[in-house]
Amino acid sequence: MNTLVCSAPTQLAYEHRPTPTLRPGDALLRIRRIGICGTDLHAFEGTQPFFSYPRVLGHELAAEIVAPGDATDFQVGEAVTFIPYFGCGTCIACRRGLPNCCVQMQVCGVHLDGGMTELLGVPAAALVHGNSLTFDELALVEPLAIGAHGVRRAGVQPGEFVLVVGAGPIGLGVMEFARIAGAHVIALDLNEQRLDFCRSALGVTHTINAGDADVAEQLRHITHGDMPTVVIDATGSQRAINNAFQYLAHGGRFVLVGLQKGDISFSHPEFHKREATLMSSRNATRADFEHVLHAMHQGLVQPTTYITHRVPFGQAKDVFASWLDPATGVIKAMIEVE
């Protein structure tokens, strides 16, 4: 089978690998769609934490079942996605129902070889029924679940002002599920094209360019002087994260969905006087996947509008680097495997 391997930062090459052997407890999938996310791009450029090379990237996946293994309620040929975070089942997090932050976490496409290949074996317990969704839609369930999990971590309530920092695919998912939770969404990004997408495609009323000199003043105006009670970072940018502390309302919550390699720096007195809450949001749970599937079936989100670039698997190597360039206008790139 043909497999695209990232052997080192900025180095991609196709390899011919043997068909995987079906292990006990696994299901065998034929990959049909591979969504490209920030993790893939950061791994390619060499800035992704918790990463080693060589690695087969890809965890936003849609597939059809070749062999269901122990998953007796799944059928050969069925369209599926799967939860690409494999917990150990025994650590403190797993025992408390938090496999998304397992101590021994193995993420498909990060710690383990992922879906930029034709056939892939995954734990049968991770499978998720497609339930009539298209391959394009199924490949977008995982990034939306990341956003849904961040919103759930924040405990977003109806009527709250939620500032989402970063209007990439993960940030868009955060905005969608904050809206579904009843919040007033504010989008903050340096890229005016992405802010325009938030307005036109997602119906986000309040958008701010992060390069403006008066971001804090604009936020005060939008929130009637209160500032946002929830700030969610989806950039993974150290500078953006550090700056965003100043945008938080007293009694507010700051949730880090984005991930960067360095240290966070903020004023303790300013944070303390707000009695603010800082938390991370890692991966997603099956409950988040089910929430996303329900929202998609109800028409509450239209994720295929995010797909701006599409390429056959055999051409992915040649165009991958271009998706790092903001000038290409990429929001979500999709690789098709036929």
Side-chain angles (χ1 to χ4, degrees):
M1 64 179 184
N2 208 17
T3 301
L4 184 58
V5 181
C6 186
S7 57
T10 73
Q11 301 297 313
L12 287 172
Y14 290 103
E15 295 181 4
H16 191 71
R17 292 191 171 185
T19 300
T21 301
L22 190 62
R23 302 177 301 180
D26 279 5
L28 185 62
L29 305 180
R30 184 174 301 280
I31 303 300
R32 291 304 191 190
R33 296 291 186 276
I34 308 160
I36 303 302
C37 81
T39 298
D40 303 315
L41 297 173
H42 295 156
F44 174 76
E45 67 180 355
T47 60
Q48 177 63 28
F50 314 124
F51 200 84
S52 62
Y53 304 86
R55 181 65 64 220
V56 179
L57 306 177
H59 62 274
E60 297 181 1
L61 303 170
E64 61 183 3
I65 293 180
V66 175
D70 295 337
T72 56
D73 57 336
F74 288 82
Q75 304 298 319
V76 173
E78 181 179 350
V80 297
T81 186
F82 67 94
I83 303 170
Y85 335 114
F86 309 144
C88 70
T90 59
C91 73
I92 179 62
C94 289
R95 296 199 309 271
R96 298 179 63 227
L98 302 170
N100 59 296
C101 60
C102 170
V103 175
Q104 305 296 331
M105 174 62 67
Q106 298 284 285
V107 178
C108 181
V110 178
H111 309 98
L112 304 169
D113 281 347
M116 291 192 185
T117 188
E118 295 178 277
L119 295 166
L120 182 67
V122 303
L127 293 177
V128 176
H129 289 286
N131 291 336
S132 78
L133 294 178
T134 66
F135 287 133
D136 282 349
E137 290 170 327
L138 287 171
L140 292 165
V141 171
E142 191 273 344
L144 285 171
I146 297 285
H149 187 71
V151 169
R152 184 157 65 93
R153 286 281 286 153
V156 172
Q157 299 298 310
E160 285 195 279
F161 281 98
V162 175
L163 172 64
V164 181
V165 186
I170 298 299
L172 298 178
V174 172
M175 294 177 207
E176 295 271 55
F177 283 91
R179 170 184 56 79
I180 290 170
H184 304 295
V185 176
I186 308 167
L188 179 69
D189 199 284
L190 283 167
N191 188 320
E192 196 59 43
Q193 184 178 19
R194 288 194 169 186
L195 292 176
D196 181 65
F197 183 87
C198 292
R199 292 187 291 266
S200 60
L202 272 63
V204 175
T205 303
H206 307 294
T207 61
I208 302 174
N209 192 299
D212 292 349
D214 62 341
V215 170
E217 187 56 38
Q218 291 185 60
L219 287 170
R220 287 190 189 93
H221 176 74
I222 292 168
T223 62
H224 314 296
D226 290 336
M227 301 301 277
T229 50
V230 175
V231 175
I232 302 179
D233 177 81
T235 66
S237 161
Q238 185 183 53
R239 182 178 179 182
I241 291 168
N242 290 343
N243 282 343
F245 281 91
Q246 66 184 301
Y247 306 143
L248 191 61
H250 282 238
R253 293 97 71 201
F254 190 3
V255 181
L256 304 181
V257 177
L259 177 64
Q260 52 86 34
K261 282 187 171 182
D263 295 333
I264 297 170
S265 177
F266 58 92
S267 166
H268 187 181
E270 287 295 322
F271 188 78
H272 191 91
K273 76 180 185 182
R274 286 169 170 77
E275 198 181 56
T277 300
L278 175 64
M279 65 186 84
S280 62
S281 177
R282 188 180 185 194
N283 300 325
T285 66
R286 183 169 289 274
D288 299 311
F289 274 69
E290 291 172 352
H291 183 31
V292 169
L293 289 166
H294 176 76
M296 292 172 75
H297 279 117
Q298 294 296 311
L300 299 176
V301 291
Q302 303 293 334
T304 54
T305 61
Y306 302 174
I307 302 173
T308 54
H309 294 62
R310 190 183 294 274
V311 66
F313 183 51
Q315 299 176 20
K317 171 184 176 293
D318 296 328
V319 302
F320 198 94
S322 70
W323 295 331
L324 287 160
D325 184 0
T328 62
V330 64
I331 292 177
K332 175 59 66 176
M334 188 70 69
I335 297 173
E336 298 180 340
V337 187
E338 300 297 344

